[in-house]
C-alpha cells in the first residue's frame, strides 16, 4: 500500500512524550527478548471503546508514562472523512472515501478541524466502508509492530484494535461509560474548545454514532473476548489511569518472567 511507508516512522499525532526518560516498565534497560537474540518485539496495548468514553485520554497518559508510541486510530477515519467533506464529497461513496483514506498524511492527523462533530459523524460513515478499513489496516498494524524509536511499545486506541487490527495485542482494554456521562464529557470538551452545543444534541449524536459503529458489518465496535472492560461512568481520569496502569504493569511483568 503506497501510503503506508512514508507515514509509518513518524505517524503519531500523540506519540508518548519524547522526553520520557525510558519506558517505565519496559524492562529496565534492554528488552529481555533482545538479550536472547530474538530481535525486539513491540509490546502492544489495544484500547477500544465507544465515542467519548475516555479511551483517548487514557491512551495518551499511558503512552507518556510508559514511553510508548500512541496512535489515535479515530484520527485516521476523521482525516478520511475530512478529505471527502472538504471538496464537497459524499462520505457514503465507497470509491471517494477509499481514495481519501489513501491520501492521509501525518500533518492532517493533528489538524484541529478533524475534531468537530460533523467530521466525527462522517468518520463513522466512511468507517463502515470495507475498502476504507482495508486501506488503513496495514498502516495501523505497521505502527503497532514498529513504533517510532525510541518507543518499545505501541498503544492504539479505536473501535476494532483488539478484535481486528491487533488480535494478538499483549493487553486489551475496553473502556466504556454510560451514554449520558459520555455526552456530558463531550459537551465539556466542545465548550472548552469554544463551540456552542446542547446536551441533548450531543447525546443524540453519540447514540447515532454508537449505533452505526456497533451495527456495521465491517469490524464493528466490540470488546474482544479477552479484553478487560473498564466502566468509567463513575471513575475520574486518574482512577481509570491507575486501574489500567496496574493491569499493564502486571502484564509487562508476566511477559518478562516468561522470557
Ligand atoms: O473521539 P471519539 O471517540 O468521539 O471518536 P474517534 O475515536 O475519533 O472515532 C471517530 C469515528 O471513527 C468512530 O465513530 C468510528 O466510526 C471510527 N473509528 C473506527 O471505525 N475504527 C477505529 N479503530 C477508530 C475509529
Amino acid at each position: 500500500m503506497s501510503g503506508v511507508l512514508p507515514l509509518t516512522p513518524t505517524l503519531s499525532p500523540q506519540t508518548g512524550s519524547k522526553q520520557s526518560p525510558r519506558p517505565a516498565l519496559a524492562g529496565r534497560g534492554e528488552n529481555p527478548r533482545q538479550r536472547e537474540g530474538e530481535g525486539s518485539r513491540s509490546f502492544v496495548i489495544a484500547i477500544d471503546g465507544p465515542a467519548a468514553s475516555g479511551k483517548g485520554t487514557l491512551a495518551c497518559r499511558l503512552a507518556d508514562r510508559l514511553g510508548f508510541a500512541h496512535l489515535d486510530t479515530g484520527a485516521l477515519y476523521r482525516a478520511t472523512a475530512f478529505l471527502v467533506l472538504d471538496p464537497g464529497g459524499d462520505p457514503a461513496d465507497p470509491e471517494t472515501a477509499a481514495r481519501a483514506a489513501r491520501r492521509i498524511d501525518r500533518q492532517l492527523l493533528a489538524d484541529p478541524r478533524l475534531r468537530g462533530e460533523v467530521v466525527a459523524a462522517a468518520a463513522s460513515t466512511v468507517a463502515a466502508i470495507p475498502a476504507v478499513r482495508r486501506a488503513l489496516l496495514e498502516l495501523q498494524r505497521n505502527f503497532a509492530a514498529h513504533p517510532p524509536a525510541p518507543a518499545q511499545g505501541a498503544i492504539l486506541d479505536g473501535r476494532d484494535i483488539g478484535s481486528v487490527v491487533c488480535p494478538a495485542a499483549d493487553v486489551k482494554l475496553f473502556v466504556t461509560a454510560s451514554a449520558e456521562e459520555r455526552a456530558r464529557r463531550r459537551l465539556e470538551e466542545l465548550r472548552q474548545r469554544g463551540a456552542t452545543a446542547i446536551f441533548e444534541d450531543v447525546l443524540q449524536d453519540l447514540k447515532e454514532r454508537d449505533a452505526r459503529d456497533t451495527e456495521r458489518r465491517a469490524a464493528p465496535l466490540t470488546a474482544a473476548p479477552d479484553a478487560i472492560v473498564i466502566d468509567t461512568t463513575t471513575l475520574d481520569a486518574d482512577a481509570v489511569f491507575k486501574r489500567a496502569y496496574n493491569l499493564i504493569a502486571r502484564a509487562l511483568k508476566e511477559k518478562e518472567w516468561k522470557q
Side-chain angles (χ1 to χ4, degrees), residues 48-53 55 72-75 77-78 115 120 123-125 127 133 140 157-161 165 186 206 209 213 216 219:
D48 291 302
S53 56
K55 59 190 185 311
D72 164 12
T73 66
Y77 294 92
R78 285 174 181 262
R115 305 323 307 176
S124 83
T125 301
R133 305 202 75 85
Q140 296 172 78
D157 77 83
R159 302 290 186 288
D160 62 337
I161 308 303
V165 178
R186 182 51 46 94
L206 279 189
R209 195 141 63 91
D213 289 348
R216 69 179 179 224

Side-chain angles (χ1 to χ4, degrees), residues 21-36 40-41 66-68 150-153 252 256:
R22 281 204 62 78
L25 288 160
R28 208 170 292 242
E30 79 271 40
N31 181 337
R33 286 193 173 95
Q34 285 172 316
R35 278 203 306 268
E36 289 172 11
S40 65
R41 182 186 74 83
L66 297 164
F68 282 9
Q152 294 182 0
L252 281 162
E256 288 192 345

Side-chain angles (χ1 to χ4, degrees), residues 65-243:
R65 179 66 173 267
L66 297 164
F68 282 9
H70 169 218
L71 180 61
D72 164 12
T73 66
L76 300 173
Y77 294 92
R78 285 174 181 262
T80 302
F82 178 80
L83 288 173
V84 173
L85 291 176
D86 199 41
D90 175 8
D93 179 60
E95 266 185 34
T96 312
R99 245 195 332 268
R102 290 190 287 268
R103 282 177 40 228
I104 294 173
D105 64 55
R106 72 170 184 279
Q107 276 93 345
L108 181 58
L109 295 179
D111 192 315
R113 289 175 296 175
L114 300 190
R115 305 323 307 176
E117 293 304 278
V118 173
V119 171
S124 83
T125 301
V126 300
I129 298 170
V132 168
R133 305 202 75 85
R134 272 198 303 277
L136 298 174
L137 185 60
E138 192 186 337
L139 185 156
Q140 296 172 78
R141 286 186 172 158
N142 226 353
F143 184 92
H146 308 288
Q152 294 182 0
I155 304 181
L156 286 81
D157 77 83
R159 302 290 186 288
D160 62 337
I161 308 303
S163 55
V164 174
V165 178
C166 302
D170 296 280
V171 177
K172 296 181 189 179
L173 303 176
F174 190 84
V175 178
T176 188
S178 72
E180 286 70 20
E181 174 58 20
R182 291 187 286 120
R184 197 192 58 72
R185 291 176 193 166
R186 182 51 46 94
L187 185 67
E188 180 66 26
E189 209 181 300
L190 290 169
R191 287 187 174 158
Q192 274 176 11
R193 288 209 308 270
T196 43
I198 297 167
F199 178 81
E200 284 71 24
D201 292 346
V202 174
L203 179 60
Q204 179 67 19
D205 284 353
L206 279 189
K207 283 183 173 170
E208 283 172 13
R209 195 141 63 91
D210 283 354
R212 269 201 300 277
D213 289 348
T214 309
E215 289 160 18
R216 69 179 179 224
R217 292 180 63 183
L221 164 65
T222 184
D226 50 347
I228 298 160
V229 178
I230 303 180
D231 187 331
T232 72
T233 307
T234 59
L235 299 177
D236 66 17
D238 285 345
V240 177
F241 173 77
K242 229 183 208 167
R243 196 172 290 188

